[in-house]
Amino acid sequence: MNLERRLAPSLDRPPSWRHGGLRQPVHSALRGYGWLLAAIVLGVALRCYRVGQNSLWIDEYMSLQSAVVPLSEIPAAAIRDHGNNPPIYFYLLHLAVGVHGSGEVTMRLISVIAGILTIPFMWLLTLEILPDPAAANITALLVAANPILLWYSQEARPYALLLLFCSAALWCLAMALHTRRAGWWIAFTGCSTLAMLTHVFGVMPLLVGALWCLFRLRDRRIIAGYVVAAITALALSSGFLLQLTKSVMAQGTGGPHLPLTGMELPYTLFAFIAGYSFGPPLREIQELGAHVAILDYPVETVLVGTTLAVLAWLILRLRSAAARDLVLLAVAPLALALGAAFFSTKAYNVRYGLPGLLGFLPLAGLALASASGSGRRLGPALVLALFLWSDAQWFWARQYRKEDSRAAVACMSRILRPGSTVAIAPGFMAGVLNHYVTQQRDTLQIVGVDHPTELGKVPGAEALLLTRLHHVPDAAALREAFLHAARPSTSLSGVVGYHIYVADSAMNPAHSCSEGT
């Protein structure tokens, strides 16, 4: 059986495993479910392990701020505080926080569950599109271990939930294209609506559906079903879309405009393979620049580049309608995110292209399953090993962790007198630190600053904390202004993501953090 025949278009004909009887032996089918179960177990273990290790970062804290308002105020808060986001995730977070409090584990529980549920939906989607169960099994394992999916499955943000609804919507769409049954079109409409009410890029299933239908224009039933489903989903989301339009017209898309550099797509593909915990850490890329960060991690960068090159070569060998549909699914989200950044003031971010993973990983699974000889087993094992290597560094390598605001407050509480004043730059981080001051029942006074002149408005500041330096206009000048006013002073290290400077006269000699030079 040649490659062309093995990869025959599956969205245009009923696959053998579902219609007309099961052609595979029973033990093969059970083996397929066994791999799915193994993928789910792996996904549960990775997503639940150390889920509360990182303290809340600024976006997670903003999620909390929107979730603790009354339910009736959540839509307005989500649009106002989150760059025009829909409300569904924040409704769910409101319920979770109301029942179990605002601890890190509770805050991230929705994303953990969504990340786990995405695994079987991706297995079903891949099996529906492709005729090769091995590709579906490999895809499920890749989804379970993928580092960037793990990252967002342990973050109190709507992205894991978005991917769950997108994968469910695409599976329903694939079933509708196969069966032409109204029930699947209704399910596609419902899941697409949920996706759009979870994130603005939840429009992706409708966009991908339109692209898939372009190659099936001769089938009027498919076109009619899609048009009705799309119009209904947009109508159900019209309340939010109207609010979004008013918000954008009044205050823009939120955040400063950053011009495209040409590095966005290469880094996105790098992150699709390695996440943010392999090779150059995201913090170093932001603070030192991509080229400097890459030179510090040449071996890991070459490994990821080689993996991408091999996968690209295997994917380019594929010739089928199924591969074409997956390419459209992988490319459309990236094109939309890049286009939105180019034509609007919204800066590009890898997370906006995350739905592209729903096409990229099945493509990788199909390419690896189609390899000949020992490559059919060795290839998936090597890619999975690379994923797990990155996952391990996410859990255990300090340089890949998010800034540890919880530890920063604990450090200040130990070394400063009660009621001491601490300046923090950038100023928007004051809310996160005050959240942990309240949790730890401390009396520290946290004041946000952004410019050296603002230190004069914080008389008697005993400490200065610097973090997220790419958001600080002149961190060096701010540091020098504090050191000049608070001499003699000590520089402290040991808190991930923070540069800490403390006036010696304010330090409690009975306690200390890890001191740097």
Side-chain angles (χ1 to χ4, degrees):
M1 181 181 295
N2 59 35
L3 183 64
E4 180 73 25
R5 185 177 177 185
R6 284 172 55 199
L7 302 180
S10 64
L11 281 182
D12 300 315
R13 63 174 176 79
S16 61
W17 68 270
R18 190 167 51 81
H19 293 287
L22 186 67
R23 297 182 186 176
Q24 304 177 70
V26 173
H27 63 83
S28 297
L30 293 176
R31 202 162 48 235
Y33 287 112
W35 281 113
L36 173 60
L37 179 61
I40 293 174
V41 170
L42 176 62
V44 170
L46 289 174
R47 284 154 180 78
C48 293
Y49 182 64
R50 293 193 173 188
V51 66
Q53 171 180 257
N54 285 273
S55 64
L56 301 180
W57 73 291
I58 180 61
D59 281 18
E60 291 181 297
Y61 170 73
M62 294 304 293
S63 292
L64 177 62
Q65 292 300 102
S66 290
V68 295
V69 303
L71 279 173
S72 61
E73 299 177 17
I74 284 178
I79 282 200
R80 180 184 64 247
D81 299 335
H82 289 277
N84 304 312
N85 267 357
I88 280 187
Y89 172 79
F90 304 103
Y91 282 134
L92 296 175
L93 187 59
H94 177 94
L95 298 176
V97 170
V99 173
H100 295 292
S102 59
E104 290 85 358
V105 175
T106 298
M107 288 278 294
R108 294 165 182 156
L109 185 60
I110 297 168
S111 295
V112 168
I113 295 172
I116 293 169
L117 293 177
T118 299
I119 298 169
F121 275 112
M122 285 301 298
W123 185 81
L124 290 167
L125 172 64
T126 306
L127 197 59
E128 191 67 24
I129 294 177
L130 303 174
D132 189 353
N137 296 334
I138 294 171
T139 299
L141 289 170
L142 296 181
V143 171
N146 182 262
I148 199 169
L149 290 182
L150 172 60
W151 170 290
Y152 287 107
S153 293
Q154 291 192 331
E155 181 175 274
R157 297 294 290 154
Y159 302 106
L161 191 65
L162 167 68
L163 294 179
L164 171 61
F165 289 143
C166 284
S167 60
L170 291 165
W171 174 56
C172 293
L173 175 60
M175 294 294 292
L177 294 177
H178 274 148
T179 65
R180 279 68 166 175
R181 292 178 181 172
W184 289 112
W185 286 115
I186 293 172
F188 169 63
T189 301
C191 292
S192 296
T193 303
L194 290 173
M196 285 191 289
L197 293 178
T198 299
H199 194 273
V200 290
F201 283 94
V203 71
M204 197 53 56
L206 294 185
L207 175 60
V208 172
L211 294 174
W212 284 359
C213 287
L214 282 177
F215 290 92
R216 298 164 176 84
L217 289 176
R218 295 181 179 180
D219 194 323
R220 294 182 179 180
R221 291 181 62 189
I222 284 179
I223 303 303
Y226 170 78
V227 169
V228 171
I231 291 175
T232 305
L234 291 170
L236 292 172
S237 308
S238 58
F240 163 71
L241 296 176
L242 181 60
Q243 286 183 305
L244 174 63
T245 301
K246 291 180 179 179
S247 176
V248 171
M249 292 179 65
Q251 61 186 28
T253 55
H257 176 65
L258 297 176
L260 297 176
T261 65
M263 291 296 295
E264 289 82 7
L265 185 57
Y267 182 69
T268 297
L269 295 177
F270 184 99
F272 277 8
I273 290 290
Y276 304 130
S277 53
F278 196 87
L282 189 59
R283 187 180 298 110
E284 292 187 20
I285 292 175
Q286 292 170 335
E287 296 181 0
L288 304 177
H291 295 91
V292 175
I294 288 172
L295 290 176
D296 288 340
Y297 297 86
V299 175
E300 293 183 344
T301 301
V302 169
L303 279 174
V304 176
T306 302
T307 301
L308 281 170
V310 172
L311 286 175
W313 175 71
L314 290 173
I315 290 171
L316 289 174
R317 295 174 63 237
L318 302 176
R319 296 289 186 273
S320 71
R324 176 204 65 206
D325 288 333
L326 290 176
V327 169
L328 292 173
L329 175 52
V331 171
L334 301 181
L336 180 63
L338 288 168
F342 183 80
F343 290 106
S344 76
T345 60
K346 192 71 174 179
Y348 176 84
N349 194 294
V350 172
R351 59 180 177 259
Y352 302 142
L354 281 177
L357 268 174
L358 305 184
F360 179 81
L361 292 178
L363 266 178
L366 174 60
L368 293 169
S370 66
S372 58
S374 59
R376 189 177 175 89
R377 294 183 178 179
L378 184 60
L382 291 176
V383 174
L384 192 61
L386 180 61
F387 283 9
L388 293 174
W389 184 356
S390 180
D391 295 339
Q393 294 191 147
W394 164 237
F395 293 126
W396 296 316
R398 285 169 53 86
Q399 69 266 31
Y400 295 110
R401 295 180 189 171
K402 301 173 184 178
E403 58 267 15
D404 197 347
S405 299
R406 180 178 54 207
V409 169
C411 171
M412 293 296 96
S413 298
R414 286 195 298 271
I415 68 174
L416 296 179
R417 295 183 294 266
S420 294
T421 300
V422 177
I424 172 68
F428 60 71
M429 290 294 294
V432 186
L433 293 178
N434 278 314
H435 168 73
Y436 282 108
V437 168
T438 301
Q439 275 203 342
Q440 297 175 24
R441 299 181 180 180
D442 207 290
T443 58
L444 290 173
Q445 304 296 314
I446 309 294
V447 181
V449 297
D450 289 297
H451 302 279
T453 55
E454 295 178 1
L455 279 175
K457 302 175 184 178
V458 192
E462 286 90 354
L464 171 68
L465 273 59
L466 296 176
T467 186
R468 303 184 67 79
L469 298 185
H470 57 293
H471 285 291
V472 182
D474 194 343
L478 192 58
R479 181 185 65 245
E480 291 305 317
F482 174 81
L483 295 179
H484 177 76
R487 67 177 58 171
S489 56
T490 300
S491 171
L492 304 179
S493 62
V495 178
V496 174
Y498 276 92
H499 306 273
I500 301 176
Y501 307 92
V502 182
D504 286 353
S505 60
M507 291 185 65
N508 185 340
H511 301 280
S512 67
C513 293
S514 182
E515 294 189 7
T517 57

